[in-house]
């Protein structure tokens, strides 16, 4: 079990590193409010690891001793900042791994993790691409976005009853205003929890975007 230091906390990080020698692209996967890092790692890791991508999922709730995030925690102005700090320290950990090319680190966030991924893309210049699923731009970060935001993929279900699809359109508007390269994919008839068929489609959409903006087209084509 791998761990890294964030402030006074020793935080677990799940990692799947390529067996091939050399330096590889890396992707951080940020879980949502339920803390289920393993669920999405199990869906993204196999294809990307085969393509030579290092995958990391920090258990950032350990920064605050949280098991599940409530709306009160998310909006209290303290927990979100603490989680973001833990994620930024995870970027440092990943960038220092001997198998990672520190110039090719991306982030993928789901729900609450999507908000964190957008904040990370705004704040941390080491991030080269952002994939955001069922989240949006966190309150207070709208005015922090600049043209330096990395290429961003926004994905959302149009029947999301947890995070309204309006959050995706709000983020799209900000990205357009700042001329940030981006793509928006709205999945019809999908709620916050995507069906099996839709999950396959979003995985393909995600892999294609990562392919174009970060990891190297030939590697993913061989893996797929």
């Amino acid at each position: 079990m791998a761990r890294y230091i964030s402030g006074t906390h020793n935080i677990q990080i799940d990692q799947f590193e390529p067996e091939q020698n050399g330096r590889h692209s890396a992707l951080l996967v940020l879980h949502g409010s339920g803390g289920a890092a393993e669920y999405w790692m199990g869906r993204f890791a196999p294809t990307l690891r085969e393509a030579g991508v290092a995958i990391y999922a920090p258990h950032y709730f350990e920064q605050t001793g949280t098991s599940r995030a409530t709306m009160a925690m998310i909006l209290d102005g303290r927990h979100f900042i603490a989680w973001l700090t833990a994620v930024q320290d995870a970027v440092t950990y990943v960038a220092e791994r001997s198998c990672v090319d520190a110039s090719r680190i991306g982030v993928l966030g789901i729900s609450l993790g999507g908000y964190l991924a957008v904040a990370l893309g705004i704040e941390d210049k080491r991030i080269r691409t952002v994939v955001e699923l069922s989240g949006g731009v966190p309150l207070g970060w709208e005015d922090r976005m600049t043209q330096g935001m990395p290429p961003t993929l926004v994905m959302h279900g149009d029947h999301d009853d947890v995070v309204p699809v309006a959050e995706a359109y709000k983020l799209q508007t900000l990205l357009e205003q700042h001329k940030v390269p981006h793509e928006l994919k709205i999945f019809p008839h999908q709620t916050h929890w995507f069906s099996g068929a839709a999950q396959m489609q979003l995985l393909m959409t995600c892999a294609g975007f990562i392919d174009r903006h970060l990891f190297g087209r030939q590697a993913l084509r061989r893996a797929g």
Side-chain angles (χ1 to χ4, degrees), residues 151-222:
T152 300
L153 171 63
V154 181
M155 298 185 290
H156 219 105
D158 69 351
H159 282 41
D160 193 327
D161 55 355
V162 177
V163 178
V165 70
E167 290 290 281
Y169 292 119
K170 175 184 174 182
L171 178 54
Q172 178 193 33
T173 297
L174 287 169
L175 294 168
E176 288 176 345
Q177 289 174 348
H178 292 285
K179 298 181 173 57
V180 176
H182 67 279
E183 295 179 19
L184 174 69
K185 175 67 174 178
I186 303 298
F187 293 81
H189 314 300
Q190 295 299 315
T191 65
H192 197 66
W193 308 111
F194 286 71
S195 67
Q199 283 189 19
M200 180 58 66
Q201 188 178 5
L202 73 86
L203 286 171
M204 293 175 63
T205 302
C206 174
F209 187 84
I210 289 171
D211 188 20
R212 291 188 294 277
H213 292 283
L214 189 63
F215 292 149
R217 187 165 302 165
Q218 296 301 319
L220 284 180
R221 184 173 298 148
R222 287 195 300 271

Side-chain angles (χ1 to χ4, degrees), residues 3 62-63 68 77 90 150 220 224:
R3 290 190 170 272
E62 292 184 0
Q63 185 82 323
R68 294 184 64 88
L220 284 180

Side-chain angles (χ1 to χ4, degrees), residues 2-6 10-16 27-32 35-38 41 54-63 66 82-94 105-110 113 116-117 120:
R3 290 190 170 272
Y4 68 96
I5 300 299
S6 180
N10 192 6
I11 296 177
Q12 180 179 338
I13 185 166
D14 299 335
Q15 58 189 40
F16 296 87
L27 183 72
L28 275 77
V29 178
L30 306 182
H31 63 73
E38 300 84 358
M41 281 289 277
I55 317 293
Y56 302 87
H59 291 231
Y60 59 85
F61 278 175
E62 292 184 0
Q63 185 82 323
T66 305
W83 297 331
L84 181 60
T85 298
V87 171
Q88 288 179 305
D89 289 335
V91 176
T92 299
Y93 168 83
V94 169
I105 299 175
V107 61
L108 182 154
I110 301 94
L116 285 165
L120 185 68

